[in-house]
Amino acid sequence: MSRFDIALPHTFKHGESIKLKDFSSGPPEDIGFGKKAAHKRIGLNAVEMAEMAKRLYAENRRSILLVLQGMDTAGKDGTIRWVMRGMNPTSCQVTSFKRPSEIELDHDFLWRCHKAVPRKGNIGIFNRSHYEDVLVVRVHSLVPESVWSERYEQINDFEKLLSSTGTTIVKCFLHISKETQRERLQERIDVTEKHWKFNPGDLKERKLWSEYQQAYEAALSKCNSEHSPWYIIPSDKKWYRNLVISQLLKRVLEDLDPQFPEAEEDFRGLVVE
Amino acid sequence: MSRFDIALPHTFKHGESIKLKDFSSGPPEDIGFGKKAAHKRIGLNAVEMAEMAKRLYAENRRSILLVLQGMDTAGKDGTIRWVMRGMNPTSCQVTSFKRPSEIELDHDFLWRCHKAVPRKGNIGIFNRSHYEDVLVVRVHSLVPESVWSERYEQINDFEKLLSSTGTTIVKCFLHISKETQRERLQERIDVTEKHWKFNPGDLKERKLWSEYQQAYEAALSKCNSEHSPWYIIPSDKKWYRNLVISQLLKRVLEDLDPQFPEAEEDFRGLVVE
């Protein structure tokens, strides 16, 4: 038992309908350590994770899919930058799902995501994902309810396929308060070096905060299964968010316990000339 | 002028026909520092490179393509693991080119490579590349000479397109001696944890050492241009190889000098509610 074992994501029961207001978006009050200790731990985790990821790659049998979702400014990009730094880019790929292209819209909504799932031995990260099709699409009624309401089951079937064919799915909802989003958007306006991250359209989306929270509650509640669980990550403090996700991913790798594979043929004693 | 400025790749003139035996595969004799200092410098470079790569990504205008080629065991994978560690995987992608699939063979040889070039703001790494089509393909006569002999010009045209549309191309030939390859192959046979890297077919390829060296000499000589230069990296010592490539990439990023972009519209004074 280490003192960092307090850094845990919120989980909830399969089948349970959740309300996000019941989950804290900040660190526990009794946490007992701060930013500095967290950063140190994240660094140590990164070294251990890189070693385990190397074995996962050598083993070439299973994969990990990390799905990151959250409101604007929740920290999807920052999580990748801080938690995954240290990973070998050969076996770690990020796919950022943006507004679908015309060709993507000419296919079912899972088509572009299926193309991007990690290959054996690799860790894939979805920065936004197929869940956008029951989030932004639902909030803005981009398709009729009869269409989006069927997607939860389609998503569950898709994720079941992935998990039963060797992919461990880890879905993180980066949970922030409305006040945290306000501060972070304001920072993007006020700090020149952050201007490139600011999109005036984000302010319009912010007005739909409660509609988005409801859409998230539905997605989390309907698509939380043993083989593809959601974790609610308290994300008001970046250092705590990063620590929780780092601890979580390290545990996932430890549970997989990948091993260097045995040689397919016996070449002991062979001498290279 | 730092003492690490001695860690330079070999270069040669555009149009010059080179012989690999004229280039050392080890560090300079008067180097004056060793593994420990090199590792420290690579770590410091990684921090600076991550910061510049972030600006390149924010700028979203230009890209870098790093091509890694070399004989088996020359250290293409190791280079990526050690030099690129610290990069944000969001903007750094590795493509490992293996034996082409049937669908790839049904297209021209540049098709699969073109699909994999880095998008704006990103750093793409080719672990092996379109050069295999004038290396293994030439050595094993997988296509007639009339076909592969035209490919040098086709490659030059392809790289000219990339460089004139915003991609800085950096091509590294990881130069090792035949003795170094022997030691490293033997290690893969003798060390259990390295078995997964060993392919008995590598021994057959090793018998074709001089044919491969000749094919490399042709590729390097015919496809070395100002906009798409080859660098010959002394790679017998891993720490020196990594240092030279790290220094090279850092310089490429410094020369590009990417900047956070200006905001497209003026939103100064905007207050988020």
Side-chain angles (χ1 to χ4, degrees):
Chain A
M1 182 83 183
S2 116
R3 63 186 178 137
F4 295 103
D5 290 337
I6 199 172
L8 292 172
H10 302 300
T11 55
F12 54 99
K13 282 193 198 125
H14 173 44
E16 188 184 347
S17 278
I18 56 136
K19 291 287 169 200
L20 284 170
K21 66 172 172 43
D22 298 335
F23 296 87
S24 159
S25 58
E29 287 190 7
D30 59 344
I31 181 150
F33 61 86
K35 194 170 175 171
K36 203 175 158 188
H39 281 179
K40 196 173 167 190
R41 178 67 177 215
I42 292 165
L44 292 171
N45 285 354
V47 175
E48 287 186 56
M49 282 159 59
E51 177 57 31
M52 290 188 282
K54 188 181 174 185
R55 288 166 186 259
L56 187 76
Y57 181 72
E59 187 186 79
N60 196 30
R61 213 161 53 80
R62 298 171 293 177
S63 63
I64 295 172
L65 173 60
L66 173 66
V67 172
L68 298 177
Q69 286 285 164
M71 302 293 287
D72 286 335
T73 78
K76 301 177 288 293
D77 296 295
T79 296
I80 298 169
R81 189 160 69 251
W82 291 107
V83 178
M84 308 310 287
R85 184 172 279 184
M87 282 287 162
N88 182 344
T90 293
S91 60
C92 177
Q93 294 86 27
V94 179
T95 309
S96 302
F97 292 97
K98 313 212 169 183
R99 193 188 293 269
S101 70
E102 271 194 58
I103 292 172
E104 288 168 348
L105 287 172
D106 278 350
H107 294 81
D108 70 82
F109 76 104
L110 292 169
W111 181 75
R112 65 175 184 158
C113 298
H114 209 157
K115 284 208 293 185
V117 299
R119 61 166 76 182
K120 285 178 188 174
N122 285 24
I123 299 174
I125 302 168
F126 282 4
N127 183 337
R128 302 187 187 273
S129 66
H130 42 295
Y131 282 95
E132 291 297 322
D133 292 281
V134 291
L135 294 166
V136 61
V137 167
R138 169 176 161 159
V139 168
H140 286 283
S141 303
L142 299 179
V143 300
E145 177 167 354
S146 59
V147 173
W148 60 251
S149 64
E150 294 211 357
R151 289 183 173 169
Y152 302 103
E153 197 181 329
Q154 291 159 345
I155 288 175
N156 285 337
D157 289 343
F158 171 59
E159 294 180 354
K160 199 168 154 191
L161 168 74
L162 297 184
S163 76
S164 63
T165 52
T167 302
T168 299
I169 306 172
V170 183
K171 298 180 295 192
C172 293
F173 171 66
L174 310 189
H175 186 32
I176 55 170
S177 69
K178 196 172 177 187
E179 171 59 16
T180 294
Q181 190 191 57
R182 191 195 60 72
E183 288 166 13
R184 292 186 183 166
L185 284 174
Q186 192 65 57
E187 213 184 340
R188 291 181 180 183
I189 290 168
D190 296 344
V191 179
T192 313
E193 294 207 342
K194 297 197 172 182
H195 279 178
W196 65 282
K197 290 187 190 175
F198 182 69
N199 173 359
D202 295 347
L203 299 182
K204 282 186 197 150
E205 294 302 294
R206 176 167 166 78
K207 296 215 169 90
L208 299 165
W209 179 272
S210 49
E211 286 83 349
Y212 270 107
Q213 296 283 300
Q214 276 168 32
Y216 267 112
E217 285 166 352
L220 270 62
S221 300
K222 289 174 195 282
C223 301
N224 180 47
S225 61
E226 220 165 292
H227 60 79
S228 184
W230 272 109
Y231 297 96
I232 302 177
I233 314 291
S235 300
D236 281 341
K237 295 287 177 203
K238 294 174 185 176
W239 61 267
Y240 186 72
R241 171 199 75 203
N242 292 341
L243 176 62
V244 172
I245 297 179
S246 168
Q247 296 279 101
L248 175 61
L249 262 186
K250 192 177 71 137
R251 205 190 62 205
V252 167
L253 277 160
E254 282 167 350
D255 289 347
L256 287 177
D257 192 23
Q259 301 296 330
F260 288 111
E262 305 262 323
E264 278 174 33
E265 38 182 304
D266 187 3
F267 41 71
R268 271 174 301 183
L270 203 63
V271 175
V272 183
E273 281 161 21
Chain B
M1 182 82 183
S2 118
R3 64 185 178 138
F4 295 103
D5 290 337
I6 199 174
L8 292 173
H10 303 301
T11 55
F12 54 99
K13 281 194 197 125
H14 173 43
E16 188 184 348
S17 277
I18 57 135
K19 291 286 169 201
L20 284 171
K21 64 171 174 44
D22 299 335
F23 296 87
S24 160
S25 56
E29 287 189 7
D30 59 346
I31 181 151
F33 61 87
K35 195 171 176 171
K36 203 174 156 189
H39 281 179
K40 195 173 166 190
R41 180 65 178 214
I42 292 166
L44 292 171
N45 284 353
V47 175
E48 286 185 56
M49 282 159 60
E51 177 56 31
M52 289 188 283
K54 186 182 174 185
R55 287 168 186 258
L56 188 75
Y57 180 72
E59 188 187 79
N60 195 30
R61 210 159 55 80
R62 298 171 294 177
S63 62
I64 296 173
L65 174 61
L66 173 66
V67 173
L68 298 177
Q69 285 285 164
M71 303 291 288
D72 287 333
T73 78
K76 301 178 286 295
D77 296 295
T79 296
I80 298 168
R81 191 162 64 252
W82 290 107
V83 178
M84 306 312 287
R85 185 173 279 188
M87 282 287 164
N88 183 343
T90 292
S91 60
C92 177
Q93 294 87 27
V94 179
T95 309
S96 302
F97 291 97
K98 315 214 168 181
R99 191 187 294 270
S101 70
E102 272 195 58
I103 292 173
E104 287 168 348
L105 287 171
D106 279 348
H107 294 82
D108 71 83
F109 76 104
L110 292 170
W111 181 75
R112 65 175 184 158
C113 299
H114 209 156
K115 283 207 295 184
V117 299
R119 59 166 77 180
K120 286 180 188 172
N122 286 24
I123 300 174
I125 302 168
F126 282 4
N127 183 338
R128 304 187 186 273
S129 67
H130 43 294
Y131 282 95
E132 291 298 322
D133 292 281
V134 290
L135 293 164
V136 62
V137 167
R138 170 177 161 159
V139 168
H140 287 282
S141 301
L142 299 181
V143 301
E145 178 168 354
S146 60
V147 174
W148 61 251
S149 64
E150 293 210 359
R151 289 185 172 168
Y152 302 103
E153 198 181 327
Q154 290 159 345
I155 288 174
N156 286 338
D157 289 343
F158 171 59
E159 293 180 353
K160 199 168 154 192
L161 168 73
L162 296 183
S163 76
S164 63
T165 51
T167 301
T168 299
I169 305 173
V170 183
K171 297 181 295 193
C172 292
F173 170 66
L174 310 190
H175 186 31
I176 55 169
S177 69
K178 197 173 176 186
E179 171 58 15
T180 294
Q181 190 191 57
R182 191 196 61 71
E183 288 166 13
R184 292 186 185 169
L185 284 174
Q186 192 65 58
E187 213 184 338
R188 290 182 182 184
I189 290 167
D190 296 343
V191 179
T192 313
E193 294 209 341
K194 296 195 171 182
H195 279 177
W196 66 280
K197 289 187 189 174
F198 182 70
N199 172 0
D202 295 348
L203 299 181
K204 284 186 193 147
E205 293 304 294
R206 176 167 166 79
K207 295 213 169 93
L208 299 165
W209 179 273
S210 49
E211 286 83 349
Y212 270 106
Q213 296 283 301
Q214 276 167 34
Y216 266 112
E217 285 166 352
L220 268 61
S221 299
K222 289 174 194 283
C223 301
N224 181 46
S225 61
E226 219 165 292
H227 59 79
S228 184
W230 271 109
Y231 298 96
I232 301 178
I233 313 290
S235 300
D236 281 340
K237 296 285 178 206
K238 294 174 185 177
W239 60 268
Y240 186 72
R241 171 200 76 203
N242 293 341
L243 176 62
V244 172
I245 298 179
S246 167
Q247 295 279 100
L248 176 60
L249 262 187
K250 191 176 73 133
R251 205 190 61 205
V252 167
L253 277 160
E254 281 166 353
D255 288 348
L256 288 176
D257 192 22
Q259 300 296 329
F260 288 111
E262 306 261 324
E264 278 174 33
E265 38 184 300
D266 187 3
F267 41 72
R268 272 174 301 184
L270 203 60
V271 175
V272 183
E273 281 162 22

